[in-house]
Amino acid sequence: MIRTLGLTKRFGRITAVDAVDLDVREGDVYGFLGANGSGKTTTVRMLLGLVLATSGRMEVLGEQMPGAGRRVLPQVGALVEGPAAYPHLSGRRNLALFDAMGRGTERRTRRARVAEALERVGLDGVDDRPVHAYSLGMRQRLGLAGALLQGPRLLVLDEPTNGLDPQGIHEIRTLLLELNAAGTTVFLSSHLLAEIEQLCTRVGVLDRGRLVVQDQLSALQGLTGRVEVHTPDVARVRQLLNGVVEHADGERLLVRDADPAALNARLVGAGVRVRELVPERRRLEDVVLAATSASADRFGSDRGADGHRAHGEAEVLER
Ligand SMILES: Nc1ncnc2c1ncn2[C@@H]1O[C@H](COP(=O)(O)OP(=O)(O)OP(=O)(O)O)[C@@H](O)[C@H]1O
């Protein structure tokens, strides 16, 4: 759905986007993650033909961009930072104008299209208020409604939950998952790890303009080769598994063992009361922080208890 090769954008001496190779596949909910200033918005703007690339190639829906923009963009719903609207007009009126500007949109069905888009984003009850009376969250929803008008094959959203309260974030997340289940590919940028983790199937991470990670979320959250065991019989487990208990925190132990079933059988066989036993998975946060060391603090979290680098693969990709 989106492929770029060596996509680069320079603003004078600043390289905002540096040789990025994006690979967004049909059916993905692709999370484009990066700290503030890492180049997300600039990339999104290039994909939509709003900014010209300095160098590199881009394909959207299988066609070369920006050349094929007239054919491609009507099939792409977009929400880029700070959606614009006429403040003195209602949300409904704004959407009708927006729809009228779209290519080949049928006038006869406009009213129904606008009503459906307003309903989808939960604005149908307040649609006659002028937009200047909208909260930031309502404006964001209106922008999203605009992106949905044409029933797009691909949605490109720059920080779609910006300014929304937790309830609003939950509603947008549900909406995006519904749209995706109905066949829409979603590409969204965010600086929020938790948002990406809850929503996305595939993840790309930008660090100072460079794509340092790109993989399926499930692969990034791969097994660590450790098993987390919760038990009141901590001393007994330590005695039984001499040397492979790597970490203990109260009744929670981390055991170096790649076979949870065998471990469980051994512990239970020895009379240990096992409350919970799960294979440990890498956290997206650790993968991202390992790959973006210089900007770690900008994601607003620490490196974890032992400060370790989580994953060799991410280190290879690191500059
Ligand atoms: N029009 C411009 N002129 C000069 N520099 C720019 C321009 N647009 C962006 N930049 C610079 O390019 C870099 C990347 O900016 P960009 O807005 O793409 O990042 P971002 O990841 O979207 O950040 P944010 O989350 O804060 O929106 C920044 O250093 C920014 O200052």
Side-chain angles (χ1 to χ4, degrees):
M1 295 299 255
I2 300 175
R3 260 180 185 282
T4 69
L5 199 64
L7 187 65
T8 300
K9 178 68 186 179
R10 288 193 202 94
F11 294 107
R13 280 162 51 197
I14 296 173
T15 304
V17 177
D18 192 359
V20 163
D21 298 345
L22 283 178
D23 179 12
V24 181
R25 301 163 188 179
E26 183 148 23
D28 278 350
V29 180
Y30 186 106
F32 195 39
L33 194 57
N36 293 126
S38 56
K40 304 181 298 295
T41 301
T42 304
T43 305
V44 167
R45 288 183 169 277
M46 284 192 281
L47 292 173
L48 298 171
L50 299 171
V51 167
L52 277 181
T54 307
S55 59
R57 290 160 62 89
M58 280 184 290
E59 256 181 34
V60 178
L61 302 183
E63 301 214 53
Q64 292 292 330
M65 287 291 283
R70 294 173 127 226
R71 274 193 305 282
V72 169
L73 292 177
Q75 303 172 64
V76 179
L79 173 67
V80 191
E81 262 177 15
Y86 293 107
H88 58 291
L89 299 179
S90 68
R92 186 177 295 270
R93 188 87 191 97
N94 264 290
L95 280 191
L97 285 173
F98 190 64
D99 189 74
M101 285 190 293
R103 257 165 196 285
T105 57
E106 256 193 80
R107 196 171 166 185
R108 203 168 44 81
T109 49
R110 178 162 303 141
R111 187 188 282 262
R113 254 196 318 278
V114 167
E116 194 191 331
L118 284 168
E119 198 192 328
R120 289 226 84 156
V121 300
L123 278 182
D124 45 335
V126 291
D127 46 17
D128 292 326
R129 262 191 241 173
V131 167
H132 67 70
Y134 275 25
S135 67
L136 184 59
M138 288 162 75
R139 281 169 206 241
Q140 199 71 0
R141 285 162 195 247
L142 185 64
L144 196 54
L148 295 178
L149 272 174
Q150 314 294 334
R153 285 175 64 196
L154 170 67
L155 268 177
V156 177
L157 310 170
D158 194 20
E159 307 266 5
T161 56
N162 236 359
L164 297 181
D165 55 25
Q167 178 65 22
I169 292 174
H170 177 74
E171 284 169 20
I172 296 297
R173 189 189 308 141
T174 308
L175 171 65
L176 294 180
L177 289 174
E178 277 171 22
L179 290 165
N180 180 249
T184 311
T185 302
V186 179
F187 176 89
L188 84 150
S189 81
S190 178
H191 62 277
L192 303 173
L193 274 155
E195 176 162 284
I196 299 283
E197 210 158 22
Q198 288 177 50
L199 199 58
C200 298
T201 54
R202 194 165 159 78
V203 179
V205 181
L206 262 195
D207 180 39
R208 290 164 292 169
R210 297 196 64 194
L211 193 69
V212 290
V213 172
Q214 180 169 244
D215 210 338
Q216 298 300 114
L217 180 65
S218 55
L220 294 172
Q221 293 174 322
L223 299 171
T224 61
R226 300 200 294 189
V227 176
E228 195 177 319
V229 180
H230 293 245
T231 174
D233 304 325
V234 173
R236 176 86 182 107
V237 174
R238 278 189 177 282
Q239 188 190 19
L240 260 172
L241 306 177
N242 194 16
V244 293
V245 176
E246 289 195 353
H247 185 78
D249 173 13
E251 297 190 345
R252 174 179 165 271
L253 305 174
L254 278 176
V255 178
R256 168 84 24 211
D257 193 312
D259 187 346
L263 177 65
N264 191 35
R266 186 170 166 207
L267 291 176
V268 172
V272 171
R273 291 167 294 170
V274 176
R275 285 210 182 102
E276 214 176 303
L277 185 144
V278 279
E280 186 193 44
R281 293 190 168 272
R282 271 181 286 133
R283 297 182 313 159
L284 180 62
E285 183 181 45
D286 290 335
V287 176
V288 169
L289 293 178
T292 58
S293 50
S295 49
D297 58 326
R298 288 193 274 157
F299 280 97
S301 59
D302 61 38
R303 309 196 99 201
D306 51 5
H308 68 291
R309 283 176 184 275
H311 180 225
E313 190 181 326
E315 279 177 56
V316 173
L317 290 162
E318 191 183 0
R319 277 191 289 176

